[in-house]
Amino acid sequence: MAELTLREADFSSADDLARVVALVDAYASDPMGGGTPLSAEVRERLPRLLATHPTAFAVLAFAGDTPVGVALCVLGLSSFAARPSVNLHDLAVLPGQRGLGIGRRLLEAVADAARRRDACKVTLEVRPDNDVGRHLYADVGFELSALCGQAYLMMEKPL
């Protein structure tokens, strides 16, 4: 594998936006991402949304000049800590590049970016059947979110 480099994406760059969208689309197409590519409408809207969203950021991983992974994040806040928090919304490594430590490096880069933003924590959601992801997350220090000993459940209300 070519030398791995990581950097934050520049959302004012059409090239970086295209890289992020392509990597998120590859993840969406994977069984762990739902197995369905992003729709044409989402692929068209996502770059504009990222370019204008005030708290979104991403870390890109490159093998040489080829983008091979992305960590897409959104800054939030913790009312209990009165500090920012970072939600790792998507972590994707291209299938042919998995098992080489790229995901771990992306997670380290997200933690570094979160610290630079004075965030108190990084959160993420993971499928219960994603054993590889869950082991990686636990290995780098993630644990079930809990308050007073009670684990959180992720819930949503589609709009």
Side-chain angles (χ1 to χ4, degrees):
M1 178 176 85
E3 181 182 354
L4 186 70
T5 58
L6 286 84
R7 66 170 172 79
E8 283 198 39
D10 177 356
F11 286 164
S12 68
S13 162
D15 289 340
D16 272 7
L17 289 168
R19 290 175 179 115
V20 171
V21 171
L23 289 161
V24 171
D25 186 44
Y27 169 60
S29 300
D30 190 86
M32 281 298 141
T36 303
L38 299 176
S39 70
E41 178 184 357
V42 168
R43 285 192 313 272
E44 181 180 320
R45 270 196 342 240
L46 186 54
R48 288 192 309 269
L49 178 62
L50 293 173
T52 60
H53 195 288
T55 68
F57 69 94
V59 178
L60 289 166
F62 295 86
D65 293 331
T66 304
V68 295
V70 67
L72 181 57
C73 303
V74 180
L75 197 64
L77 66 87
S78 168
S79 56
F80 284 19
R83 289 176 53 201
S85 62
V86 170
N87 178 255
L88 172 57
H89 192 70
D90 296 309
L91 178 69
V93 175
L94 293 178
Q97 302 293 316
R98 293 179 184 159
L100 303 173
I102 297 169
R104 179 179 301 275
R105 293 272 310 273
L106 284 165
L107 291 169
E108 291 167 358
V110 167
D112 289 343
R115 286 184 199 95
R116 285 193 303 275
R117 290 164 170 84
D118 192 37
C120 62
K121 63 184 173 182
V122 176
T123 63
L124 58 81
E125 298 86 39
V126 60
R127 286 173 45 148
D129 62 343
N130 184 350
D131 292 331
V132 172
R134 291 178 65 189
H135 288 296
L136 172 61
Y137 300 142
D139 196 44
V140 299
F142 283 86
E143 53 192 43
L144 288 178
S145 295
L147 183 62
C148 299
Q150 294 295 314
Y152 297 156
L153 297 176
M154 180 71 177
M155 298 178 73
E156 68 181 17
K157 178 181 177 180
L159 302 175

